[in-house]
Amino acid sequence: MNHNLEGKIAVITGGGGGIGSAVAESLGARGAKVALCGGNNLAKLEATAAKVTASGGEAYLLPGNLMEDSFTTNCIEQIASHFGGIDYLINNAGMALSCPFEETTMEQFDQILRLNTRVPYQLCQKVLPYLRKSQSAEIINISSVVGHLGYPLQSAYAASKHAIIGFSKSLANEVYNEGIRVHTICPGGVFTDMVKIARPDLSSEGMIMPQDIANIVLFFLENHGNAVVDEICVHRAGKEPFAY
Ligand SMILES: NC(=O)c1ccc[n+]([C@@H]2O[C@H](COP(=O)([O-])OP(=O)(O)OC[C@H]3O[C@@H](n4cnc5c(N)ncnc54)[C@H](OP(=O)(O)O)[C@@H]3O)[C@@H](O)[C@H]2O)c1
């Protein structure tokens, strides 16, 4: 069964970033209503909102720091009351860190675990009451290939991305009988600001593009038949296959 995304209500965190912006625009092009939830760079959020609107969707801007409890506690309710419900949550906002294990401070560890794991966990909790009222409820949590692997210098990031997969599996098993699907996407290097900072040695050639990840999100949301894909791992063409 193919789902039409027209009029569906999607929450996406980090919608001003590379992957988030591509996902938001793709949902807009399908006629979805997109809440851009969280982000510190207002200009980037406004640019994404303009793309969503230009592509035929509706955008609702909710800038704010997802690290602050006052924001994460209330944002889902605010979005639901603005649009009148929520069908999809896409936990995309995240941060990376490239640092030797022994030099990673506990403050850095706490920060990365907070944004990459605790925030998605909390938003999943907050969104479930609304998803229960939807006929097409889905949560998509963006992990990473580092959610399965352990590259050097990425211990804190790897911990956070393993953890989001762990809780997603558990949550998926708690709610699938209610018709709520929970997916994870595990990308390799995607050409965004994050990878430009974390891996300045990599050139754009051979990189995954943000639109490639947006296409996977569309696949999850549109294919709602009896064949369910839980997770998609995607690596750069130049990397070794099946190395998860
Ligand atoms: N790029 C890759 O190679 C790659 C690979 C695997 C997985 N991922 C994952 O994909 C997701 C998106 O990353 P990206 O590559 O698109 O990176 P990006 O362009 O740097 O986007 C990250 C987004 O997260 C937002 N964000 C960061 N801190 C925040 C905070 N405290 N509160 C609210 N929003 C915050 C940023 O907003 P502001 O800019 O406004 O702060 C930005 O919109 C992340 O979860 C990342 O771990 C990326």
Side-chain angles (χ1 to χ4, degrees):
M1 184 175 61
N2 263 5
H3 262 171
N4 183 350
L5 303 192
E6 178 96 40
K8 297 283 188 228
I9 299 156
V11 178
I12 173 155
T13 63
I19 292 174
S21 174
V23 171
E25 188 178 1
S26 293
L27 292 176
R30 300 291 204 276
K33 299 176 183 176
V34 184
L36 303 171
C37 177
N40 307 301
N41 187 326
L42 190 59
K44 279 189 183 175
L45 281 173
E46 285 175 343
T48 301
K51 284 189 211 163
V52 170
T53 314
S55 66
E58 198 178 322
Y60 174 50
L61 224 66
L62 207 62
N65 186 354
L66 286 163
M67 303 282 245
E68 283 175 8
D69 250 337
S70 55
F71 183 77
T72 34
T73 308
N74 300 311
C75 58
I76 294 291
E77 193 183 336
Q78 218 173 314
I79 291 162
S81 76
H82 176 84
F83 278 136
I86 295 174
D87 299 294
Y88 312 131
L89 169 64
I90 300 151
N91 273 310
N92 163 75
M95 63 195 289
L97 178 68
S98 176
C99 190
F101 182 82
E102 288 170 288
E103 290 169 25
T104 302
T105 66
M106 286 302 102
E107 288 71 26
Q108 286 174 314
F109 183 85
D110 287 346
Q111 264 212 327
I112 204 160
L113 265 288
R114 182 166 186 127
L115 183 65
N116 293 2
T117 311
R118 186 185 191 274
V119 165
Y121 191 98
Q122 188 179 12
L123 295 182
C124 286
Q125 284 187 339
K126 295 278 173 196
V127 86
L128 282 178
Y130 301 101
L131 295 194
R132 289 196 174 97
K133 296 178 190 153
S134 166
Q135 295 306 306
S136 47
E138 308 227 11
I139 292 172
I140 299 176
N141 289 331
I142 308 289
S143 178
S144 163
V145 289
V146 182
H148 290 284
L149 302 173
Y151 295 152
L153 308 182
Q154 297 195 11
S155 55
Y157 185 66
S160 73
K161 292 300 187 180
H162 274 69
I164 193 173
I165 292 176
F167 92 69
S168 299
K169 286 180 180 172
S170 188
L171 172 60
N173 279 287
E174 282 191 35
V175 299
Y176 82 96
N177 277 332
E178 299 181 86
I180 301 172
R181 294 182 179 182
V182 181
H183 310 280
T184 51
I185 301 178
C186 301
V190 185
F191 193 59
T192 67
D193 286 350
M194 181 181 284
V195 87
K196 283 178 219 160
I197 293 162
R199 294 288 307 273
D201 53 308
L202 297 179
S203 80
S204 65
E205 212 172 303
M207 295 280 262
I208 297 164
M209 288 294 136
Q211 188 58 46
D212 296 320
I213 307 304
N215 292 342
I216 295 170
V217 170
L218 289 177
F219 170 81
F220 278 134
L221 300 182
E222 291 185 330
N223 291 277
H224 211 85
N226 289 334
V228 183
V229 177
D230 296 320
E231 175 173 88
I232 292 183
C233 297
V234 49
H235 63 85
R236 288 185 281 131
K239 293 281 284 184
E240 68 275 29
F242 293 105
Y244 307 114

